[in-house]
Amino acid sequence: MEKLIIAIFFYVNNSLAQPTLLSWNLADFGSSKSDSTLLFIVKQIKNYDIVALQEIVANDSGAQTVAKLADELNRKGTKWAYAVSEPTSSSAYKTERYAFLWKTNTVQLIGKPWLEKKYNLEIDREPFYATFQYQNKQFTVVNFHAITKKRQPETEIKYFKFLPEQYPNLTLLFVGDFNCPEIHTVFNPLKKMGYTSAFENQKTTLRTSCLEKDCLASPFDNIYYPKQKITILQKGIIPFYEQFQNLKDARKISDHVPIWIQFTIEN
């Protein structure tokens, strides 16, 4: 009995020690977010180790607002660092920035984050990469925001099948808003390479109004990871909209809910 208790103790503590990753499309972040909104966002993300943000406005106010967000996180007693991308190179559509924030006592940034330039003509908002190290294991988060559903995001997501071959020595996790459900055939090449989606039929976008208690619309946000190298221990969404009286007020924060995973990395 004593050995069983010890085994459970070590399992639980090992599980709690594994890194967590959160992804959130923050809807024009930097253009119209008040101080109270920033504080609300801090409360939602402060318990995670790495935060990948999409839809940061491309002008200077976007980067400045991410800096303010990091400053507010640092006031909570844990040291955070952050990186903001240059504006994406799209000229045909809406250029944006991406951002990463991370707890420096949990993970370390390896090298410098970068925008993927190889397919910047084929992908409107080319993804933003950052490599992190947890203990002695490294992984690379690929932060992405696809074009809208009506503009056929599958026409650019299809190029993701080339990225694992382009970076054969990196353990890639594709995260963000794909504007496309995980059941779409465009993800089949990645699945054949051993990638799988963290979420299945998990709606992540907010409706304009709830249909009875159904307030979410489409399963667009997800995390795709190599199952031979990554094991997910826990996962979920943060239904922050439940803290508001109506979806109109909730959508002032974002029209997407955050998604998160806790995971282990194989050697």
Side-chain angles (χ1 to χ4, degrees), residues 55 88-96 123-125 145-152 156 179:
E55 206 166 312
T88 54
S89 59
S90 170
S91 58
Y93 193 51
K94 183 182 178 183
T95 184
E96 295 173 0
I123 301 174
D124 272 9
R125 293 179 291 228
H145 183 199
I147 53 178
T148 60
K149 182 180 179 181
K150 67 180 180 181
R151 297 189 72 240
Q152 298 180 306
E156 56 182 16
N179 278 311

Side-chain angles (χ1 to χ4, degrees), residues 19-23 50 52 54 100 107 114 127-134 137-145 160 163-164 167 169-178 187 190 194-199 222-234 259-266:
T20 52
L21 168 64
L22 179 143
S23 175
I50 303 169
Q54 304 91 42
F100 288 108
V107 296
W114 72 97
F128 187 45
Y129 294 64
T131 297
F132 297 96
Q133 181 166 305
Y134 173 75
K137 300 172 183 177
Q138 293 186 9
F139 55 95
T140 300
V141 183
V142 184
N143 197 356
F144 180 60
H145 183 199
F160 276 55
L163 298 180
Y167 299 100
N169 297 322
L170 299 182
T171 299
L172 303 178
L173 293 91
F174 300 104
V175 313
D177 174 11
F178 295 87
F187 295 108
L190 279 177
Y195 282 78
T196 189
S197 60
F199 298 91
N222 218 318
I223 299 172
Y224 297 87
Y225 65 96
K227 56 187 176 183
Q228 69 273 26
K229 296 181 179 179
I230 298 289
T231 300
I232 292 184
L233 302 175
Q234 299 183 68
I259 60 174
W260 63 270
I261 61 171
Q262 183 186 47
F263 61 100
T264 60
I265 312 129
E266 302 300 327

Side-chain angles (χ1 to χ4, degrees), residues 20 34-35 38 40 82 105 126 166 169 188 202 204 246:
T20 52
S34 65
D35 289 345
L38 282 183
F40 181 87
Y82 71 96
N105 66 339
E126 64 270 31
Q166 185 179 348
N169 297 322
N188 286 350
Q202 173 60 66
T204 59
N246 56 68

Side-chain angles (χ1 to χ4, degrees), residues 30-206:
S31 63
S32 59
K33 297 292 191 281
S34 65
D35 289 345
S36 61
T37 295
L38 282 183
L39 291 175
F40 181 87
I41 293 171
V42 164
K43 290 179 181 178
Q44 312 311 307
I45 68 176
K46 66 179 182 178
N47 294 324
Y48 299 87
D49 299 313
I50 303 169
V51 175
L53 300 180
Q54 304 91 42
E55 206 166 312
I56 311 298
V57 297
N59 59 34
D60 289 345
S61 67
Q64 291 166 359
T65 307
V66 173
K68 288 180 65 178
L69 182 62
D71 183 58
E72 292 295 342
L73 284 165
N74 278 308
R75 294 174 187 272
K76 301 301 179 184
T78 302
K79 176 63 178 175
W80 289 75
Y82 71 96
V84 183
S85 76
E86 293 298 316
T88 54
S89 59
S90 170
S91 58
Y93 193 51
K94 183 182 178 183
T95 184
E96 295 173 0
R97 296 179 190 262
Y98 298 99
F100 288 108
L101 302 101
W102 63 94
K103 290 178 178 175
T104 59
N105 66 339
T106 303
V107 296
Q108 294 77 47
L109 179 70
I110 303 299
K112 184 178 180 181
W114 72 97
L115 283 170
E116 176 56 65
K117 292 299 184 182
K118 185 169 184 179
Y119 299 103
N120 69 317
L121 297 180
E122 294 83 9
I123 301 174
D124 272 9
R125 293 179 291 228
E126 64 270 31
F128 187 45
Y129 294 64
T131 297
F132 297 96
Q133 181 166 305
Y134 173 75
Q135 296 179 353
N136 62 341
K137 300 172 183 177
Q138 293 186 9
F139 55 95
T140 300
V141 183
V142 184
N143 197 356
F144 180 60
H145 183 199
I147 53 178
T148 60
K149 182 180 179 181
K150 67 180 180 181
R151 297 189 72 240
Q152 298 180 306
E154 61 272 18
T155 60
E156 56 182 16
I157 295 172
K158 67 182 182 181
Y159 291 96
F160 276 55
K161 65 186 177 184
F162 300 117
L163 298 180
E165 295 177 356
Q166 185 179 348
Y167 299 100
N169 297 322
L170 299 182
T171 299
L172 303 178
L173 293 91
F174 300 104
V175 313
D177 174 11
F178 295 87
N179 278 311
C180 194
E182 81 284 348
I183 60 172
H184 197 288
T185 57
V186 73
F187 295 108
N188 286 350
L190 279 177
K191 292 175 182 178
K192 289 179 181 178
M193 295 178 194
Y195 282 78
T196 189
S197 60
F199 298 91
E200 296 181 3
N201 196 31
Q202 173 60 66
K203 296 177 181 179
T204 59
T205 64
L206 293 187

